[in-house]
Amino acid sequence: MIRRALGLAAAALLAATALTGAARAADAPDPGDWEAVLKAAQGQTVYWNAWGGEPRINAYIAWAGEQVKARYGVNVEHVKLSDTADAVARVVAEKTAGRDTGGSIDLIWINGENFAAMKRNGLLYGPWSEAMPNYRFVADGDLVKLDFTVPVEGLEAPWGKAQVVFMYDTAEMPVPPRTAADLLAWAQANPGRFTYPQVPNFLGSTFLKQVLYEVTPDPSVLVRPADEAGYEAATAPLWSYLDALNPVLWRQGRAFPQNSAAQRTLMSDGEIAMAISFNPAEATSAILKDELPDTVRTAVFEGGTIGNASFVAIPYNATAKAGAMVLANFLMSPEAQAHKQDPDVWGSFTILDVATLAEEDRARFAGLDLGIATLAPEALGTPLPEPHPSWMTRIEEDWARRYGASQ
Amino acid sequence: MPPVRAGGSRALALAPALTLALMLGPLAAGLGGTLLPAFGYLPALGGEGFSLAPWRALFAEPGLARAAQVSAFVGIVSTLISLAAVMAFCAAWQGTRAFSLLQRVVSPLLSVPHAATALALAFLIAPSGWLARMVSPWATGWTRPPDLLIVHDEAGLALVGGLVLKEIPFLFLMTLAALNQVDADARVRLARTLGYGRMAAWLKAVFPAVYAQIRLPVYAVLAYAMSVVDMAIILGPTNPPTLSVLVLRWANDPDLALRFQAAAGAIAQLLIVLGGLALWRLLEMGIARAGLRAATGGARMTHDGWGRGIALLPVAAIVAAVIAGLASLALWSAARVWRFPDALPTRWTAANWTDNAARAGELIATSAGIAALAALIALVLTVACLERETGRTHTGSLGAERLSRALPLLYAPLIVPQIAFLFGLQVFFVRIGIDGTAGAVVWAHLVFVLPYAFLAMADPYRAYDPRYVRTALCLGVSGRAAFWRVKLPMLLRPLLVAFAVGFAISVGQYLPTVFAGAGRVPTVTTEAVALAASADRRLIGIFALLQAVLPFAGFALATAIPALAFRSRRGLQVR
């Protein structure tokens, strides 16, 4: 009798495990079994939450969606965000409300602080990205292994590379500054002709990081979390640099453009002659669209400029995880990457190691005309790593106290 | 005579309560939902008990004092300027041809939403704006825009300018209604026979009576100007911005812990508005005392020709500014290349429009759908309330008086700063599970549409001659039929105007759309404001223009429909 009951219980237990196992398989596809992922992805709809502020990027996302639909039967809906943080907040809200499955976001275009926050709070699915078939083409290195010094650990798949360049108008500035000190000297000689987006805007903060790398006594401390004593010593030269720069900025530093697009508009209006950009092809694309004068060119600092990769990640409660993987894998394909690097399309640099590709794929990249204002990949140099996020939190607070309240 | 009602009198009896609940319910829920997190209580985000931590965080924020000062300064100065301009214009020109001309220009001006007005002004007055381009370089020598902080200036003067553009038409319209009620013409005539100059006669004999009538609208203007968000994003200082913009930033921050500080900031904004209203009240008393002395002093001021000229200036300037600003939006929307200092684009294109047609179409459909629904609901509730009230009046009860005593309640959503209760309203919507839906947006809009629809409808409805309905009843028609077939058709014109007003108010809503829609219900207005901070002028031109055209179309229809419907009914045509 007892034995029979135990047997029944064991059977029930087994069945239950099998059932939840099956449920988990559908909910949590195994990236190692690519055929199964493709099968599970058939007919799924992927809600891809991605910044929607740039028509060209939106068009690229739409193109990727069409390709994935035609090849793998995966539907892609672009949820246009004005700020990636909105998507993070929504996943937090869903977790708070107990919606651990059936979440409303399947894939997020993400990096840096938002990735760090999601990883810290266990809001990401994975690891999965390194098991994607196309990951083998990705260039090896810290650029794709670390996201703002936070280890990626397979929780997000790289899909684009960004690096700081300075756009300058040759009509006014035949030779671009090659160091932060050059930049300051030029700004002092030409008051009101340079500015940067208002911190804590991403690009504005990037400008501070770029200067910090050049003026701080020991840049190697920046990749570790900031501590009290180290922070003071490392940032003191930054503040004296900015104290000198602020009064000669556009509008005497009493106002700042709110973001990169507003900054580009200032350049288009001739209000400033130089601007920072995180996309080496931005100037070329803007010239093609008649947004910037065709006398604009780009340059980098001698000591190197900050670079990073941007990624796509799957939230822990995503509904269409398999579909999201199929899309992410496609985004890493040589074809999608080469299309993206075309300045007529987007002009975003690839995260692939082009030299290792098959000849036919190498030809796709070799055939690209990068345009008149874009530096060749060799000229960009090796990107400097992003500092640890803890530095920026404090620097942004201090910036607001010093320059953000118009005393 | 039995009370004349549209039938369903039980439903009608509920109308006022329902209306107030729909309007004040969200307000109360919202205020509560802001107050609790301001003192640390918001269990969903880990705030289980009460504390003053949000306030400590708020006061530690750099730039807070400056932001609060700018908010108060902008509100009080813009209201003073607008009120003075409208009163001076009425004093100088009431009863003249210029006056009736302006009367006709003002409603279209009023229909241009705040954000579009602000964008139009920014395009005009920025150092790289149209005005500078028109005079450069031949008159100024500027080959590149001068490095002047005009838009986003720290003192908020550009924002004051933008607010004045919107407040003058609104206060003028309110004053027009008041002038009829106080029999202004007779007062002026009497004072003039006593030898007073035209302006002196108006200011001494009409102003006190008119001001008493428009006091609530003035308070609404003052409260709005102190806490406005969309115009402040476009024209206001950025470094730091006004308090309401700061609060919005915190409320939208990915760091959810900032929600507590945002709630405290929203309550601080409410306190500043209450303080501003109190200060205004003191100002009123001071002016009343000084005015009494001036009125009894007997100065006749008959030589007021120069004063009349000056009084014309601000009003003419705002009409010109809005029209020129809209024109520059239109130019930008068709520009391919328009560089400083060219007075006009050097290359044109239709691509800005064709590339964005699909997106624009979606946004227009959403905006128009939400606005039509909100305006329709507001109109039904308004008519039900008024029908119940007038039904009672016919029997001699005190309904009308009671309702007019409740009128300040109608202004409550206009006087409490949006940021102070929309934050809590969002929490309320989340609780009942409708946040992020179009329905929630319609409801949030209704809170602001209702007061205006009621104000637009009340006077014509109360002035309706009840004998028409009685005649119909005597002819054997049921009360219901008399209402639907006689009364409503005769009131078609004010009904449509009230609808158009409600429609315009809804189209212009920025903050309620963002909060109730959780950012997921994009409208022409949210798009225009979002673009204002970024992107290029060509896109801004398109969406701001669409934002302005939509309500204007509503007013055009409100004028065209009665003309068509009444083309064979001479008695109902406008002479």
Side-chain angles (χ1 to χ4, degrees):
Chain A
M1 187 70 178
I2 291 170
R3 195 174 297 164
R4 208 170 139 206
L6 272 179
L8 263 177
L13 204 66
L14 216 69
T17 346
L19 267 178
T20 49
R24 201 174 301 139
D27 183 49
D30 172 15
D33 185 354
W34 191 241
E35 285 308 312
V37 171
L38 285 177
K39 213 163 141 206
Q42 271 280 349
Q44 281 190 338
T45 296
V46 176
Y47 288 90
W48 183 7
N49 283 237
W51 182 66
E54 184 85 66
R56 272 175 306 145
I57 298 178
N58 296 344
Y60 178 79
I61 288 174
W63 171 83
E66 285 160 22
Q67 299 300 317
V68 172
K69 168 82 182 163
R71 298 175 198 199
Y72 309 105
V74 176
N75 304 303
V76 176
E77 289 285 343
H78 179 190
V79 178
K80 296 191 181 95
L81 301 176
S82 58
D83 190 334
T84 305
D86 296 348
V88 180
R90 203 176 317 156
V91 178
V92 172
E94 289 181 353
K95 188 173 188 186
T96 315
R99 194 196 282 173
D100 291 330
T101 56
S104 60
I105 300 175
D106 299 304
L107 196 67
I108 309 182
W109 175 10
I110 195 170
N111 68 8
E113 277 177 80
N114 290 310
F115 170 68
M118 291 191 82
K119 189 185 177 196
R120 197 168 51 237
N121 291 302
L123 298 175
L124 290 172
Y125 176 71
W128 58 276
S129 63
E130 291 175 20
M132 295 294 100
N134 287 336
Y135 194 84
R136 66 199 147 102
F137 302 129
V138 171
D140 197 32
D142 283 351
L143 194 73
V144 296
K145 299 285 188 203
L146 299 176
D147 192 356
F148 287 59
T149 71
V150 178
V152 168
E153 291 171 343
L155 293 175
E156 47 178 9
W159 81 302
K161 190 163 84 174
Q163 189 172 340
V164 167
V165 296
F166 288 92
M167 305 190 285
Y168 65 102
D169 192 342
T170 52
E172 193 174 331
M173 196 182 190
V175 183
R178 300 304 309 271
T179 62
D182 272 5
L183 172 61
L184 177 59
W186 182 83
Q188 283 170 331
N190 299 273
R193 305 298 293 156
F194 175 70
T195 186
Y196 54 91
Q198 183 164 347
V199 178
N201 171 275
F202 175 68
L203 192 59
S205 300
T206 301
F207 175 73
L208 302 191
K209 290 177 205 170
Q210 179 64 42
V211 172
L212 179 65
Y213 256 105
E214 277 203 42
V215 299
T216 196
D218 176 16
S220 68
V221 302
L222 300 179
V223 295
R224 294 189 295 272
D227 62 55
E228 197 61 41
Y231 177 82
E232 297 296 336
T235 57
L238 172 68
W239 303 123
S240 55
Y241 183 94
L242 291 176
D243 283 345
L245 181 64
N246 206 52
V248 295
L249 288 176
W250 175 80
R251 307 285 188 254
Q252 304 86 48
R254 293 187 293 151
F256 291 84
Q258 296 300 295
N259 52 38
S260 65
Q263 182 197 231
R264 196 168 61 224
T265 303
L266 291 181
M267 198 162 192
S268 170
D269 283 342
E271 296 222 7
I272 55 174
M274 189 174 161
I276 183 173
S277 168
F278 220 137
N279 176 359
E282 177 179 353
T284 295
S285 304
I287 291 169
L288 289 176
K289 285 200 305 173
D290 280 325
E291 257 190 75
L292 287 180
D294 59 10
T295 46
V296 170
R297 295 292 179 273
T298 55
V300 287
F301 283 177
E302 280 165 5
T305 53
I306 290 180
N308 66 26
S310 57
F311 297 83
V312 288
I314 304 177
Y316 83 106
N317 65 348
T319 310
K321 293 191 178 96
M325 285 178 192
V326 170
L327 173 58
N329 184 56
F330 174 74
L331 294 175
M332 287 189 286
S333 68
E335 184 191 353
Q337 287 281 312
H339 191 60
K340 185 150 144 288
Q341 190 164 322
D342 186 342
D344 276 337
V345 177
W346 177 350
S348 161
F349 276 42
T350 183
I351 40 85
L352 302 185
D353 184 352
V354 177
T356 64
L357 298 181
E359 196 181 324
E360 169 201 4
D361 287 327
R362 277 207 307 273
R364 290 179 195 272
F365 286 95
L368 289 177
D369 174 7
L370 294 181
I372 55 168
T374 308
L375 296 174
E378 311 83 71
L380 283 174
T382 310
L384 298 172
E386 291 276 2
H388 188 273
S390 58
W391 287 90
M392 283 334 283
T393 318
R394 294 198 52 180
I395 288 178
E396 284 167 2
E397 278 171 14
D398 283 348
W399 188 92
R401 209 155 281 134
R402 283 165 173 268
Y403 312 108
S406 310
Q407 274 85 20
Chain B
M1 193 76 215
V4 178
R5 296 206 194 136
S9 54
R10 196 169 303 159
L12 271 189
L14 288 174
L18 180 66
T19 307
L20 284 179
L22 278 174
M23 222 171 67
L24 299 183
L27 188 68
L31 274 176
T34 305
L35 214 48
L36 291 177
F39 289 95
Y41 186 80
L42 185 57
L45 291 180
E48 306 282 354
F50 289 92
S51 83
L52 289 175
W55 293 89
R56 278 194 291 272
L58 177 70
F59 288 123
E61 199 62 47
L64 176 81
R66 174 86 202 149
Q69 274 168 23
V70 173
S71 298
F73 169 82
V74 163
I76 291 174
V77 170
S78 67
T79 310
L80 270 176
I81 294 177
S82 311
L83 184 65
V86 170
M87 291 303 118
F89 179 73
C90 290
W93 296 93
Q94 195 211 326
T96 65
R97 186 178 292 230
F99 195 79
S100 49
L101 185 75
L102 188 74
Q103 231 167 305
R104 247 167 287 152
V105 179
V106 138
S107 334
L109 275 192
L110 200 61
S111 73
V112 183
H114 285 88
T117 310
L119 288 166
L121 185 66
F123 276 20
L124 212 55
I125 63 169
S128 57
W130 202 17
L131 287 181
R133 286 171 198 235
M134 280 195 277
V135 294
S136 297
W138 56 272
T140 58
W142 294 333
T143 49
R144 54 172 86 125
D147 192 10
L148 301 172
L149 189 58
I150 296 179
V151 174
H152 302 312
D153 64 296
E154 295 120 316
L157 297 179
L159 180 55
V160 167
L163 282 163
V164 166
L165 288 189
K166 283 302 295 174
E167 287 169 358
I168 286 184
F170 175 67
L171 287 177
F172 181 66
L173 226 61
M174 291 291 128
T175 307
L176 280 181
L179 285 174
N180 292 334
Q181 284 163 20
V182 301
D183 205 359
D185 289 334
R187 286 169 186 253
V188 169
R189 225 176 296 130
L190 182 65
R192 298 211 64 182
T193 56
L194 294 173
Y196 286 91
R198 180 191 277 271
M199 288 183 78
W202 198 92
L203 288 172
K204 290 182 177 182
V206 180
F207 174 70
V210 162
Y211 187 76
Q213 296 278 325
I214 62 166
R215 174 176 281 142
L216 277 176
V218 169
Y219 289 177
V221 161
L222 180 62
Y224 182 86
M226 279 192 277
S227 59
V228 61
V229 167
D230 51 358
M231 286 191 121
I233 288 176
I234 297 162
L235 293 172
T238 53
N239 196 19
T242 61
L243 181 58
S244 54
V245 176
L246 263 185
V247 171
L248 180 66
R249 265 191 210 166
W250 299 328
N252 288 342
D253 200 276
D255 180 359
L256 297 177
L258 279 179
R259 298 286 169 100
F260 293 98
Q261 180 181 333
I267 298 299
Q269 175 76 67
L270 175 62
L271 294 177
I272 287 173
V273 166
L274 293 178
L277 289 171
L279 192 69
W280 190 267
R281 185 79 194 93
L282 285 177
L283 203 68
E284 275 179 7
M285 292 195 286
I287 288 179
R289 188 165 301 167
L292 198 64
R293 218 171 306 135
T296 50
R300 297 298 197 262
M301 291 183 278
T302 46
H303 298 288
D304 59 3
W306 57 273
R308 296 186 65 199
I310 290 176
L312 192 60
L313 284 180
V315 175
I318 68 143
V319 174
V322 174
I323 291 171
L326 291 176
S328 82
L329 289 177
L331 285 176
W332 268 111
S333 78
R336 179 158 176 96
V337 179
W338 186 5
R339 294 203 198 292
F340 195 89
D342 300 324
L344 287 173
T346 44
R347 283 168 62 197
W348 303 80
T349 179
N352 302 338
W353 283 95
T354 49
D355 290 353
N356 292 290
R359 174 97 180 121
E362 279 170 37
L363 292 171
I364 289 176
T366 314
S367 294
I370 287 170
L373 210 56
L376 192 68
I377 297 171
L379 203 58
V380 170
L381 289 169
T382 299
V383 168
C385 284
L386 288 166
E387 182 58 18
R388 175 175 155 78
E389 170 203 318
T390 46
R392 291 229 158 159
T393 342
H394 296 165
T395 61
S397 94
L398 295 171
E401 198 187 314
R402 207 176 302 143
L403 218 111
S404 61
R405 233 183 292 144
L407 199 63
L409 278 181
L410 279 177
Y411 273 101
L414 310 186
I415 285 177
V416 180
Q418 296 192 348
I419 199 93
F421 75 97
L422 284 173
F423 176 72
L425 187 60
Q426 189 183 29
V427 175
F428 171 70
F429 281 156
V430 171
R431 283 273 152 74
I432 61 173
I434 62 167
D435 67 306
T437 64
V441 176
V442 170
W443 193 1
H445 282 201
L446 189 64
V447 173
F448 302 96
V449 169
L450 250 172
Y452 287 105
F454 196 93
L455 291 174
M457 201 60 221
D459 281 337
Y461 212 96
R462 287 174 184 149
Y464 181 79
D465 189 341
R467 284 173 298 183
Y468 287 112
V469 171
R470 274 182 219 152
T471 309
L473 290 174
C474 292
L475 292 172
V477 182
S478 73
R480 190 183 291 256
F483 173 79
W484 287 106
R485 289 172 55 199
V486 177
K487 189 169 184 177
L488 274 195
M490 291 181 73
L491 287 169
L492 180 64
R493 198 185 310 275
L495 281 170
L496 287 170
V497 168
F499 182 85
V501 168
F503 188 87
I505 296 289
S506 169
V507 167
Q509 294 298 320
Y510 173 66
L511 221 42
T513 318
V514 170
F515 271 84
R520 276 182 252 171
V521 183
T523 64
V524 175
T525 297
T526 61
E527 188 85 359
V529 176
L531 281 172
S534 64
D536 59 308
R537 291 215 174 82
R538 302 176 283 196
L539 280 182
I540 299 176
I542 290 176
F543 288 100
L545 210 57
L546 288 177
Q547 208 213 354
V549 163
L550 213 49
F552 190 72
F555 278 101
L557 279 179
T559 322
I561 291 175
L564 272 178
F566 298 147
R567 66 190 182 283
S568 52
R569 285 178 175 70
R570 199 193 307 164
L572 283 167
Q573 282 165 9
V574 179
R575 326 150 290 275

